[in-house]
């Protein structure tokens, strides 16, 4: 992680976007760190990481983000996608619905099909009005495929 904070790592390759009707604002980031390196499986580090995600989502008080997605490197045959959803304002945004869309695997971006499944979330999946989820996505998916996929998913909600 080159001595950078978790927030610095997440912000390195961050793109903001909105659905086609501009009802939802979200961000997608790609990091070269694994979920283990980000501390997702260590209770004290995970809590700090989730609080930092919430802070990033709330950074713009007038336009808080509805979703934040972090694509992580993995040494396995898949990549991880960490997802944070704001609850309350848009209850139709949830981990199960995104998983349903990933399991379908019927969308392609840049010539690559997006498919995946939900992975076990290490611990509490909801906190302070947010829902968190972890997904496995097939390789060689990058932010260039995840960003339009998430945009289309949000657009289907409006």
């Amino acid at each position: 992680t080159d001595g950078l904070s978790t927030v610095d790592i997440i912000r390195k390759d961050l793109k903001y976007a909105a659905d086609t009707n501009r009802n939802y604002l979200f961000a997608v980031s790609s990091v070269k760190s694994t979920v283990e390196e980000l501390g997702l499986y260590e209770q004290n580090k995970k809590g700090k990481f989730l609080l930092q995600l919430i802070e990033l989502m709330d950074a713009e008080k007038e336009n808080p983000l509805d979703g934040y997605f972090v694509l992580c490197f993995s040494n396995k045959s898949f990549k991880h996608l960490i997802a944070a959803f704001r609850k309350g304002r848009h209850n139709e945004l949830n981990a199960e619905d995104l998983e349903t869309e990933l399991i379908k695997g019927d969308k392609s971006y840049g010539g690559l099909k997006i498919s995946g499944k939900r992975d076990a979330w290490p611990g509490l999946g909801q906190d302070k009005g947010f829902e968190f989820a972890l997904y496995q996505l097939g390789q060689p998916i990058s932010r260039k495929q995840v960003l339009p996929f998430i945009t289309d998913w949000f657009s289907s909600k409006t």
Side-chain angles (χ1 to χ4, degrees), residues 1-51:
T1 56
D2 302 328
L4 298 173
S5 73
T6 302
V7 171
D8 291 335
I9 292 168
I10 292 171
R11 285 185 172 161
K12 261 180 131 174
D13 185 30
L14 177 64
K15 301 293 182 213
Y16 292 94
D19 69 290
T20 53
N21 296 316
R22 303 198 64 76
N23 291 324
Y24 302 105
L25 297 174
F26 61 96
V28 177
S29 178
S30 180
V31 298
K32 292 186 177 170
S33 302
T34 65
V35 291
E36 292 83 6
E37 291 168 336
L38 291 175
L40 213 56
Y41 291 99
E42 297 176 44
Q43 193 59 38
N44 59 336
K45 288 184 180 179
K46 180 180 68 175
K48 183 178 177 185
F49 175 78
L50 296 180
L51 285 175

Side-chain angles (χ1 to χ4, degrees), residues 72-155:
C72 300
F73 175 78
S74 175
N75 295 323
K76 301 177 179 133
S77 61
F78 56 85
K79 288 187 177 181
H80 274 118
L81 181 68
I82 301 168
F85 306 98
R86 181 179 303 279
K87 302 306 288 176
R89 231 170 52 155
H90 304 291
N91 286 322
E92 65 274 14
L93 302 178
N94 62 69
E96 290 79 22
D97 190 51
L98 181 56
E99 179 182 31
T100 299
E101 204 59 35
L102 286 167
I103 289 172
K104 283 184 196 173
D106 61 353
K107 302 215 173 30
S108 294
Y109 302 92
L112 296 173
K113 278 196 178 237
I114 297 276
S115 66
K117 64 179 182 176
R118 199 160 171 192
D119 202 349
W121 181 259
L124 187 65
Q126 295 193 25
D127 187 36
K128 300 182 187 208
F130 294 85
E131 180 180 8
F132 303 98
L134 184 64
Y135 301 92
Q136 293 178 10
L137 303 181
Q139 297 272 21
I141 298 302
S142 73
R143 185 183 38 77
K144 291 177 181 176
Q145 287 80 37
V146 172
L147 183 64
F149 173 79
I150 298 293
T151 301
D152 287 350
W153 179 67
F154 274 111
S155 297

